[in-house]
């Protein structure tokens, strides 16, 4: 299933997006890996608005990697909208964030994240984490890959 996989990463850290894109290219060379730099852009992508209106350039993600702490529309806002929108709620949302206190982890699961992952500190660790994510979420589990934007 990795060949059909579409991964959307929403993170306001350009450096983290670049590192994740590089790691994803190594780990998942046949998957589509897209990054957006804000919660607003993530919602525009998911709802195909503005520059993301074309379904060919904004395919429905298989999984969403979401930084919870972003300015403006936060990852928490994105998570709430994804989980309350019928055509989006089945997309697994993986919190990929620096925030790793017990209260935030509990809040994340209460809000509907499917997994809560603390961002690894370097490229090799990030690649290892992405390989584990891919092995489980893109190979082991069954995901609905059809276009849910009807």
């Amino acid at each position: 299933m990795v060949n059909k996989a579409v991964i959307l990463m929403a993170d306001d850290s350009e450096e983290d997006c670049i590192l994740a894109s590089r790691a994803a290219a190594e780990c998942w060379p046949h998957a589509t890996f897209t990054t957006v730099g804000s919660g607003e852009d993530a919602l525009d992508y998911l709802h195909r608005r503005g520059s993301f209106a074309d379904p060919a350039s904004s395919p429905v993600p298989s999984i969403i990697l979401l930084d919870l702490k972003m300015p403006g529309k936060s990852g928490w806002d994105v998570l709430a909208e994804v989980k309350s929108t019928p055509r989006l709620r089945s997309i697994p949302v993986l919190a990929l964030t620096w925030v790793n206190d017990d209260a935030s982890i509990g809040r994340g699961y209460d809000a509907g994240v499917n997994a809560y992952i603390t961002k690894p500190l370097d490229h090799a660790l990030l690649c290892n984490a992405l390989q584990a994510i891919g092995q489980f979420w893109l190979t082991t589990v069954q995901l609905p890959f059809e276009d849910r934007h009807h």
Side-chain angles (χ1 to χ4, degrees):
M1 285 299 185
V2 175
N3 291 344
K4 293 170 40 174
V6 175
I7 299 92
L8 174 64
M9 180 175 180
D11 195 316
D12 63 315
S13 168
E14 186 175 351
E15 181 180 339
D16 288 350
C17 286
I18 290 169
L19 283 174
S21 292
R22 287 180 184 156
E26 291 174 29
C27 300
W28 310 323
H30 302 294
T32 301
F33 189 85
T34 301
T35 61
V36 293
S38 70
E40 291 86 352
D41 284 347
L43 292 174
D44 285 349
Y45 181 100
L46 292 166
H47 292 298
R48 292 194 174 137
R49 299 185 295 228
S51 62
F52 302 104
D54 180 6
S57 62
S58 58
V60 177
S62 309
I63 59 173
I64 300 169
L65 302 176
L66 184 62
D67 182 14
L68 297 173
K69 284 192 76 165
M70 292 186 282
K73 288 254 186 213
S74 70
W76 297 107
D77 297 326
V78 173
L79 176 63
E81 189 159 336
V82 167
K83 293 305 178 182
S84 67
T85 303
R87 64 182 164 63
L88 301 175
R89 75 171 53 124
S90 65
I91 301 170
V93 178
L94 312 182
L96 184 62
T97 185
W98 292 111
V99 181
N100 66 355
D101 60 274
D102 289 342
S104 294
I105 293 167
R107 179 181 173 203
Y109 283 108
D110 287 345
V113 297
N114 298 90
Y116 198 104
I117 303 157
T118 302
K119 285 182 184 175
L121 297 175
D122 67 27
H123 178 78
L125 293 174
L126 180 60
C127 196
N128 288 342
L130 291 178
Q131 283 180 321
I133 289 167
Q135 180 63 37
F136 182 75
W137 288 102
L138 302 176
T139 305
T140 304
V141 301
Q142 296 295 311
L143 296 175
F145 280 96
E146 76 281 351
D147 189 336
R148 287 160 256 181
H149 286 278
H150 295 266

